[in-house]
Amino acid sequence: MAVGAPASTAALGSEQAKASRPSATGARGAAYIETRLFFGTERPDGGPDVTDRQFMAFIDRNVTPSFPSGLTVQDGRGQWRDSNGTIERERSYELILLYPAAEARVRDPQIERIREAYVTAYAQDSVARLDEPTLADF
């Protein structure tokens, strides 16, 4: 499910709009960072799985205030090997955040607070994070 949309080029100012023109190599867009967070829904402590309603309430409380211009949430199925060597599988969510590369230092602690809040709220072992530089054009 998609929620909102990242800021438009017009909102980013004329410098970013100029940067979104194609370069000599054909690449288009301004420098952005794409951060993906992976949230499991099963609780290692044996509590009930995190529901869609609980997860979206978490997004509203803990993510939207820091990323009001937009974000994307996707349903998923996760798999990993636990500390005992057992393959674990569970329903999961993938949160995609896209922000200008120039904001990376400001965004990093915001993203870490999101991860910590979920681990604490839902007794998780971790929330995986993937950061990739990219080009974005709106």
Side-chain angles (χ1 to χ4, degrees):
M1 68 185 100
V3 182
S8 70
T9 302
L12 296 174
S14 62
E15 290 305 310
Q16 292 244 346
K18 290 177 192 171
S20 71
R21 293 187 182 129
S23 70
T25 62
R28 178 182 299 274
Y32 273 72
I33 303 293
E34 179 181 8
T35 295
R36 294 173 181 257
L37 300 179
F38 301 89
F39 300 87
T41 58
E42 292 182 7
R43 299 185 196 204
D45 65 2
D49 290 0
V50 178
T51 66
D52 287 340
R53 180 175 289 198
Q54 288 172 316
F55 187 75
M56 291 313 296
F58 175 84
I59 293 294
D60 290 344
R61 255 188 337 269
N62 296 284
V63 182
T64 301
S66 294
F67 295 89
S69 294
L71 54 90
T72 300
V73 173
Q74 298 183 96
D75 291 321
R77 297 291 305 167
Q79 174 178 307
W80 77 99
R81 186 181 308 271
D82 71 14
S83 59
N84 297 319
T86 303
I87 302 271
E88 300 284 348
R89 294 179 178 95
E90 68 182 318
R91 188 174 59 84
S92 61
Y93 298 99
E94 179 183 15
L95 171 65
I96 303 169
L97 304 169
L98 191 62
Y99 48 92
E103 296 178 9
R105 286 189 182 182
V106 172
R107 297 301 187 167
D108 181 70
Q110 294 171 333
I111 293 166
E112 287 306 299
R113 282 191 293 275
I114 293 165
R115 294 174 73 200
E116 291 166 14
Y118 192 80
V119 166
T120 300
Y122 299 108
Q124 296 293 300
D125 290 331
S126 66
V127 171
R129 177 177 176 172
L130 172 65
D131 294 299
E132 293 187 274
T134 191
L135 298 176
D137 184 23
F138 301 97

